[in-house]
Amino acid sequence: MFAGLLALYIPTYWTLATGSWTADQDTHGPIVLAVVLFLLWQKRALLGSRGALPTGAGNAYSFFDDLVGWTILVLGVFTYVVGRSQDISLLEVGSQIPVLIGLLLIMQGRRTALAFWFPLFFLLFIIPLPGFVVAAATTPLKNHVSHVAENILYFFHYPVARNGVILTIGTYQLLVANACAGLNAIFSLTALGLLYIYLVQNTSWLRNGILLASILPIAFIANTVRVVVLALITYYWSDQAIAVHGFLHPFAGVVLFAIAVLLMFAVDWGLGLFLPNRRPSTAGRDGPDDAHQT
């Protein structure tokens, strides 16, 4: 089974490593893969004999798991074949999720499969976004980032004007590119936020929901600040500053992403002041048992 999975998906990941993972919007792919492998390794003890079914469940449960598992597995393999043969990365990469779910159901049963739900769900962030989705989301994001950046600079009395996604500051022009739109930051922060919620295990659903909802404005703010900073660098040190020091643009992106992560943690800390985690109730556990303690 393991050899079959390697035969299927090593070519897939090689294509990702030499293709979409080299683009700005999918640079988080290797990190997501490393996180998934780490989470799977942590749960490796669950991959034992198929004994995770309830006591006395009977063969009906096993038959149901097998039926559902084979159905999902066949669907996943069919999706892989279509995606691989037609060069549709959305289907090819996405097929590994039903393939793994099907194998877990067949070989381990539903309880073990459910125990692996988050690593399998997290694989969604490896799937490259389709081009039409990127195009549809990037254009309005660039327009909004450009508009807000223009207003911020104008508020501080800088000579700035905007034409679409082109900012004119002084005698220089800046094009707000796709990397500054914030789609990559939104996607990466969403993945990081979900991982953070899974690891921290906040008991308040409201707290988790607000934290996830805050990711979009945090990413937008971070990318707007990035555009403003680059505009100021260009204004004070001319457009040669970015051309000569080519590291400034990607470095600004890394710094602003780190700031966005810190903002997300700060939001969770602030929410914890009003929505603290509830400790499991221990009522009824200290009565009779205490009598046997010496």
PDB file of all heavy atoms in Angstrom, residues 206-233:
ATOM      1  N   LEU A 206     -16.993  30.335  19.954  1.00  0.00           N
ATOM      2  CA  LEU A 206     -17.084  31.749  19.596  1.00  0.00           C
ATOM      3  C   LEU A 206     -15.688  32.354  19.460  1.00  0.00           C
ATOM      4  O   LEU A 206     -15.410  33.105  18.516  1.00  0.00           O
ATOM      5  CB  LEU A 206     -17.893  32.505  20.651  1.00  0.00           C
ATOM      6  CG  LEU A 206     -18.075  34.016  20.415  1.00  0.00           C
ATOM      7  CD1 LEU A 206     -18.770  34.269  19.092  1.00  0.00           C
ATOM      8  CD2 LEU A 206     -18.843  34.637  21.581  1.00  0.00           C
ATOM      9  N   ARG A 207     -14.811  32.018  20.386  1.00  0.00           N
ATOM     10  CA  ARG A 207     -13.429  32.521  20.331  1.00  0.00           C
ATOM     11  C   ARG A 207     -12.728  32.034  19.064  1.00  0.00           C
ATOM     12  O   ARG A 207     -12.050  32.818  18.373  1.00  0.00           O
ATOM     13  CB  ARG A 207     -12.682  32.055  21.571  1.00  0.00           C
ATOM     14  CG  ARG A 207     -11.222  32.473  21.635  1.00  0.00           C
ATOM     15  CD  ARG A 207     -10.625  32.025  22.959  1.00  0.00           C
ATOM     16  NE  ARG A 207      -9.191  32.267  23.035  1.00  0.00           N
ATOM     17  CZ  ARG A 207      -8.452  31.989  24.100  1.00  0.00           C
ATOM     18  NH1 ARG A 207      -9.026  31.474  25.180  1.00  0.00           N
ATOM     19  NH2 ARG A 207      -7.147  32.225  24.099  1.00  0.00           N
ATOM     20  N   ASN A 208     -12.888  30.755  18.729  1.00  0.00           N
ATOM     21  CA  ASN A 208     -12.272  30.217  17.518  1.00  0.00           C
ATOM     22  C   ASN A 208     -12.842  30.878  16.269  1.00  0.00           C
ATOM     23  O   ASN A 208     -12.107  31.185  15.319  1.00  0.00           O
ATOM     24  CB  ASN A 208     -12.485  28.708  17.458  1.00  0.00           C
ATOM     25  CG  ASN A 208     -11.731  27.969  18.544  1.00  0.00           C
ATOM     26  OD1 ASN A 208     -10.703  28.454  19.039  1.00  0.00           O
ATOM     27  ND2 ASN A 208     -12.217  26.812  18.923  1.00  0.00           N
ATOM     28  N   GLY A 209     -14.152  31.098  16.258  1.00  0.00           N
ATOM     29  CA  GLY A 209     -14.787  31.714  15.101  1.00  0.00           C
ATOM     30  C   GLY A 209     -14.329  33.145  14.877  1.00  0.00           C
ATOM     31  O   GLY A 209     -14.052  33.553  13.741  1.00  0.00           O
ATOM     32  N   ILE A 210     -14.249  33.915  15.968  1.00  0.00           N
ATOM     33  CA  ILE A 210     -13.789  35.308  15.847  1.00  0.00           C
ATOM     34  C   ILE A 210     -12.333  35.344  15.393  1.00  0.00           C
ATOM     35  O   ILE A 210     -11.944  36.186  14.570  1.00  0.00           O
ATOM     36  CB  ILE A 210     -13.965  36.045  17.187  1.00  0.00           C
ATOM     37  CG1 ILE A 210     -15.446  36.150  17.544  1.00  0.00           C
ATOM     38  CG2 ILE A 210     -13.345  37.429  17.120  1.00  0.00           C
ATOM     39  CD1 ILE A 210     -15.708  36.768  18.903  1.00  0.00           C
ATOM     40  N   LEU A 211     -11.517  34.426  15.900  1.00  0.00           N
ATOM     41  CA  LEU A 211     -10.108  34.386  15.515  1.00  0.00           C
ATOM     42  C   LEU A 211      -9.964  34.106  14.015  1.00  0.00           C
ATOM     43  O   LEU A 211      -9.171  34.761  13.324  1.00  0.00           O
ATOM     44  CB  LEU A 211      -9.374  33.326  16.331  1.00  0.00           C
ATOM     45  CG  LEU A 211      -7.871  33.189  16.079  1.00  0.00           C
ATOM     46  CD1 LEU A 211      -7.156  34.498  16.395  1.00  0.00           C
ATOM     47  CD2 LEU A 211      -7.287  32.042  16.890  1.00  0.00           C
ATOM     48  N   LEU A 212     -10.741  33.154  13.507  1.00  0.00           N
ATOM     49  CA  LEU A 212     -10.694  32.863  12.077  1.00  0.00           C
ATOM     50  C   LEU A 212     -11.205  34.037  11.250  1.00  0.00           C
ATOM     51  O   LEU A 212     -10.651  34.366  10.198  1.00  0.00           O
ATOM     52  CB  LEU A 212     -11.512  31.607  11.763  1.00  0.00           C
ATOM     53  CG  LEU A 212     -10.879  30.264  12.110  1.00  0.00           C
ATOM     54  CD1 LEU A 212     -11.831  29.126  11.783  1.00  0.00           C
ATOM     55  CD2 LEU A 212      -9.565  30.072  11.356  1.00  0.00           C
ATOM     56  N   ALA A 213     -12.272  34.681  11.733  1.00  0.00           N
ATOM     57  CA  ALA A 213     -12.826  35.827  11.005  1.00  0.00           C
ATOM     58  C   ALA A 213     -11.851  37.001  10.968  1.00  0.00           C
ATOM     59  O   ALA A 213     -11.912  37.836  10.062  1.00  0.00           O
ATOM     60  CB  ALA A 213     -14.147  36.257  11.634  1.00  0.00           C
ATOM     61  N   SER A 214     -10.948  37.070  11.944  1.00  0.00           N
ATOM     62  CA  SER A 214      -9.995  38.185  11.993  1.00  0.00           C
ATOM     63  C   SER A 214      -8.850  38.018  11.005  1.00  0.00           C
ATOM     64  O   SER A 214      -8.089  38.969  10.774  1.00  0.00           O
ATOM     65  CB  SER A 214      -9.428  38.318  13.412  1.00  0.00           C
ATOM     66  OG  SER A 214      -8.583  37.223  13.732  1.00  0.00           O
ATOM     67  N   ILE A 215      -8.697  36.834  10.424  1.00  0.00           N
ATOM     68  CA  ILE A 215      -7.560  36.586   9.540  1.00  0.00           C
ATOM     69  C   ILE A 215      -7.630  37.461   8.297  1.00  0.00           C
ATOM     70  O   ILE A 215      -6.612  38.032   7.859  1.00  0.00           O
ATOM     71  CB  ILE A 215      -7.510  35.093   9.159  1.00  0.00           C
ATOM     72  CG1 ILE A 215      -7.088  34.269  10.369  1.00  0.00           C
ATOM     73  CG2 ILE A 215      -6.545  34.854   7.999  1.00  0.00           C
ATOM     74  CD1 ILE A 215      -7.111  32.771  10.134  1.00  0.00           C
ATOM     75  N   LEU A 216      -8.818  37.604   7.716  1.00  0.00           N
ATOM     76  CA  LEU A 216      -8.946  38.408   6.496  1.00  0.00           C
ATOM     77  C   LEU A 216      -8.561  39.865   6.726  1.00  0.00           C
ATOM     78  O   LEU A 216      -7.720  40.403   5.989  1.00  0.00           O
ATOM     79  CB  LEU A 216     -10.371  38.296   5.951  1.00  0.00           C
ATOM     80  CG  LEU A 216     -10.674  39.106   4.681  1.00  0.00           C
ATOM     81  CD1 LEU A 216      -9.754  38.687   3.546  1.00  0.00           C
ATOM     82  CD2 LEU A 216     -12.133  38.932   4.274  1.00  0.00           C
ATOM     83  N   PRO A 217      -9.120  40.556   7.737  1.00  0.00           N
ATOM     84  CA  PRO A 217      -8.687  41.951   7.954  1.00  0.00           C
ATOM     85  C   PRO A 217      -7.221  42.070   8.352  1.00  0.00           C
ATOM     86  O   PRO A 217      -6.560  43.039   7.971  1.00  0.00           O
ATOM     87  CB  PRO A 217      -9.616  42.446   9.069  1.00  0.00           C
ATOM     88  CG  PRO A 217     -10.189  41.232   9.695  1.00  0.00           C
ATOM     89  CD  PRO A 217     -10.246  40.206   8.628  1.00  0.00           C
ATOM     90  N   ILE A 218      -6.684  41.105   9.104  1.00  0.00           N
ATOM     91  CA  ILE A 218      -5.268  41.164   9.477  1.00  0.00           C
ATOM     92  C   ILE A 218      -4.386  41.078   8.240  1.00  0.00           C
ATOM     93  O   ILE A 218      -3.420  41.843   8.077  1.00  0.00           O
ATOM     94  CB  ILE A 218      -4.927  40.040  10.473  1.00  0.00           C
ATOM     95  CG1 ILE A 218      -5.533  40.339  11.848  1.00  0.00           C
ATOM     96  CG2 ILE A 218      -3.414  39.867  10.600  1.00  0.00           C
ATOM     97  CD1 ILE A 218      -5.352  39.221  12.855  1.00  0.00           C
ATOM     98  N   ALA A 219      -4.697  40.138   7.335  1.00  0.00           N
ATOM     99  CA  ALA A 219      -3.917  40.004   6.104  1.00  0.00           C
ATOM    100  C   ALA A 219      -4.034  41.248   5.241  1.00  0.00           C
ATOM    101  O   ALA A 219      -3.051  41.694   4.626  1.00  0.00           O
ATOM    102  CB  ALA A 219      -4.381  38.772   5.321  1.00  0.00           C
ATOM    103  N   PHE A 220      -5.226  41.817   5.182  1.00  0.00           N
ATOM    104  CA  PHE A 220      -5.423  43.030   4.388  1.00  0.00           C
ATOM    105  C   PHE A 220      -4.607  44.192   4.959  1.00  0.00           C
ATOM    106  O   PHE A 220      -3.942  44.927   4.218  1.00  0.00           O
ATOM    107  CB  PHE A 220      -6.905  43.391   4.358  1.00  0.00           C
ATOM    108  CG  PHE A 220      -7.226  44.594   3.525  1.00  0.00           C
ATOM    109  CD1 PHE A 220      -7.386  44.477   2.154  1.00  0.00           C
ATOM    110  CD2 PHE A 220      -7.356  45.842   4.106  1.00  0.00           C
ATOM    111  CE1 PHE A 220      -7.675  45.583   1.371  1.00  0.00           C
ATOM    112  CE2 PHE A 220      -7.646  46.961   3.342  1.00  0.00           C
ATOM    113  CZ  PHE A 220      -7.808  46.831   1.972  1.00  0.00           C
ATOM    114  N   ILE A 221      -4.636  44.349   6.279  1.00  0.00           N
ATOM    115  CA  ILE A 221      -3.879  45.425   6.922  1.00  0.00           C
ATOM    116  C   ILE A 221      -2.378  45.240   6.684  1.00  0.00           C
ATOM    117  O   ILE A 221      -1.654  46.197   6.357  1.00  0.00           O
ATOM    118  CB  ILE A 221      -4.185  45.461   8.428  1.00  0.00           C
ATOM    119  CG1 ILE A 221      -5.635  45.909   8.660  1.00  0.00           C
ATOM    120  CG2 ILE A 221      -3.231  46.393   9.161  1.00  0.00           C
ATOM    121  CD1 ILE A 221      -6.089  45.773  10.095  1.00  0.00           C
ATOM    122  N   ALA A 222      -1.904  43.998   6.821  1.00  0.00           N
ATOM    123  CA  ALA A 222      -0.478  43.735   6.645  1.00  0.00           C
ATOM    124  C   ALA A 222      -0.023  44.072   5.230  1.00  0.00           C
ATOM    125  O   ALA A 222       1.029  44.684   5.033  1.00  0.00           O
ATOM    126  CB  ALA A 222      -0.181  42.271   6.961  1.00  0.00           C
ATOM    127  N   ASN A 223      -0.807  43.707   4.234  1.00  0.00           N
ATOM    128  CA  ASN A 223      -0.410  43.981   2.855  1.00  0.00           C
ATOM    129  C   ASN A 223      -0.542  45.457   2.508  1.00  0.00           C
ATOM    130  O   ASN A 223       0.231  45.978   1.701  1.00  0.00           O
ATOM    131  CB  ASN A 223      -1.237  43.122   1.894  1.00  0.00           C
ATOM    132  CG  ASN A 223      -0.732  41.702   1.810  1.00  0.00           C
ATOM    133  OD1 ASN A 223       0.184  41.406   1.071  1.00  0.00           O
ATOM    134  ND2 ASN A 223      -1.318  40.825   2.596  1.00  0.00           N
ATOM    135  N   THR A 224      -1.499  46.136   3.112  1.00  0.00           N
ATOM    136  CA  THR A 224      -1.608  47.584   2.900  1.00  0.00           C
ATOM    137  C   THR A 224      -0.391  48.297   3.460  1.00  0.00           C
ATOM    138  O   THR A 224       0.188  49.186   2.809  1.00  0.00           O
ATOM    139  CB  THR A 224      -2.887  48.121   3.554  1.00  0.00           C
ATOM    140  OG1 THR A 224      -4.034  47.441   2.999  1.00  0.00           O
ATOM    141  CG2 THR A 224      -3.036  49.620   3.301  1.00  0.00           C
ATOM    142  N   VAL A 225       0.028  47.911   4.668  1.00  0.00           N
ATOM    143  CA  VAL A 225       1.228  48.499   5.268  1.00  0.00           C
ATOM    144  C   VAL A 225       2.447  48.205   4.404  1.00  0.00           C
ATOM    145  O   VAL A 225       3.328  49.054   4.226  1.00  0.00           O
ATOM    146  CB  VAL A 225       1.428  47.962   6.696  1.00  0.00           C
ATOM    147  CG1 VAL A 225       2.753  48.434   7.278  1.00  0.00           C
ATOM    148  CG2 VAL A 225       0.271  48.403   7.587  1.00  0.00           C
ATOM    149  N   ARG A 226       2.496  47.011   3.831  1.00  0.00           N
ATOM    150  CA  ARG A 226       3.618  46.649   2.951  1.00  0.00           C
ATOM    151  C   ARG A 226       3.699  47.591   1.758  1.00  0.00           C
ATOM    152  O   ARG A 226       4.782  48.082   1.411  1.00  0.00           O
ATOM    153  CB  ARG A 226       3.439  45.203   2.480  1.00  0.00           C
ATOM    154  CG  ARG A 226       4.501  44.714   1.518  1.00  0.00           C
ATOM    155  CD  ARG A 226       4.140  43.339   1.006  1.00  0.00           C
ATOM    156  NE  ARG A 226       5.184  42.757   0.187  1.00  0.00           N
ATOM    157  CZ  ARG A 226       5.070  41.593  -0.427  1.00  0.00           C
ATOM    158  NH1 ARG A 226       3.956  40.885  -0.303  1.00  0.00           N
ATOM    159  NH2 ARG A 226       6.063  41.123  -1.161  1.00  0.00           N
ATOM    160  N   VAL A 227       2.559  47.878   1.137  1.00  0.00           N
ATOM    161  CA  VAL A 227       2.541  48.784  -0.016  1.00  0.00           C
ATOM    162  C   VAL A 227       2.947  50.189   0.401  1.00  0.00           C
ATOM    163  O   VAL A 227       3.720  50.865  -0.302  1.00  0.00           O
ATOM    164  CB  VAL A 227       1.149  48.777  -0.678  1.00  0.00           C
ATOM    165  CG1 VAL A 227       1.053  49.857  -1.752  1.00  0.00           C
ATOM    166  CG2 VAL A 227       0.855  47.415  -1.283  1.00  0.00           C
ATOM    167  N   VAL A 228       2.453  50.652   1.541  1.00  0.00           N
ATOM    168  CA  VAL A 228       2.797  51.995   2.022  1.00  0.00           C
ATOM    169  C   VAL A 228       4.292  52.097   2.294  1.00  0.00           C
ATOM    170  O   VAL A 228       4.952  53.090   1.917  1.00  0.00           O
ATOM    171  CB  VAL A 228       1.983  52.330   3.289  1.00  0.00           C
ATOM    172  CG1 VAL A 228       2.494  53.617   3.923  1.00  0.00           C
ATOM    173  CG2 VAL A 228       0.503  52.457   2.949  1.00  0.00           C
ATOM    174  N   VAL A 229       4.861  51.082   2.933  1.00  0.00           N
ATOM    175  CA  VAL A 229       6.292  51.104   3.242  1.00  0.00           C
ATOM    176  C   VAL A 229       7.122  51.136   1.967  1.00  0.00           C
ATOM    177  O   VAL A 229       8.087  51.910   1.850  1.00  0.00           O
ATOM    178  CB  VAL A 229       6.667  49.887   4.111  1.00  0.00           C
ATOM    179  CG1 VAL A 229       8.183  49.741   4.218  1.00  0.00           C
ATOM    180  CG2 VAL A 229       6.051  50.014   5.499  1.00  0.00           C
ATOM    181  N   LEU A 230       6.763  50.304   0.984  1.00  0.00           N
ATOM    182  CA  LEU A 230       7.507  50.296  -0.277  1.00  0.00           C
ATOM    183  C   LEU A 230       7.350  51.616  -1.016  1.00  0.00           C
ATOM    184  O   LEU A 230       8.297  52.088  -1.673  1.00  0.00           O
ATOM    185  CB  LEU A 230       7.034  49.131  -1.147  1.00  0.00           C
ATOM    186  CG  LEU A 230       7.397  47.730  -0.627  1.00  0.00           C
ATOM    187  CD1 LEU A 230       6.741  46.662  -1.491  1.00  0.00           C
ATOM    188  CD2 LEU A 230       8.898  47.540  -0.602  1.00  0.00           C
ATOM    189  N   ALA A 231       6.174  52.231  -0.929  1.00  0.00           N
ATOM    190  CA  ALA A 231       5.980  53.535  -1.569  1.00  0.00           C
ATOM    191  C   ALA A 231       6.859  54.594  -0.916  1.00  0.00           C
ATOM    192  O   ALA A 231       7.458  55.433  -1.609  1.00  0.00           O
ATOM    193  CB  ALA A 231       4.507  53.929  -1.491  1.00  0.00           C
ATOM    194  N   LEU A 232       6.972  54.562   0.395  1.00  0.00           N
ATOM    195  CA  LEU A 232       7.814  55.530   1.101  1.00  0.00           C
ATOM    196  C   LEU A 232       9.289  55.316   0.797  1.00  0.00           C
ATOM    197  O   LEU A 232      10.057  56.275   0.655  1.00  0.00           O
ATOM    198  CB  LEU A 232       7.569  55.437   2.608  1.00  0.00           C
ATOM    199  CG  LEU A 232       6.189  55.903   3.087  1.00  0.00           C
ATOM    200  CD1 LEU A 232       6.025  55.661   4.578  1.00  0.00           C
ATOM    201  CD2 LEU A 232       5.977  57.376   2.757  1.00  0.00           C
ATOM    202  N   ILE A 233       9.700  54.040   0.688  1.00  0.00           N
ATOM    203  CA  ILE A 233      11.093  53.753   0.319  1.00  0.00           C
ATOM    204  C   ILE A 233      11.399  54.323  -1.060  1.00  0.00           C
ATOM    205  O   ILE A 233      12.447  54.937  -1.297  1.00  0.00           O
ATOM    206  CB  ILE A 233      11.357  52.232   0.356  1.00  0.00           C
ATOM    207  CG1 ILE A 233      11.327  51.722   1.799  1.00  0.00           C
ATOM    208  CG2 ILE A 233      12.705  51.901  -0.286  1.00  0.00           C
ATOM    209  CD1 ILE A 233      11.436  50.219   1.920  1.00  0.00           C
TER     210      ILE A 233
END
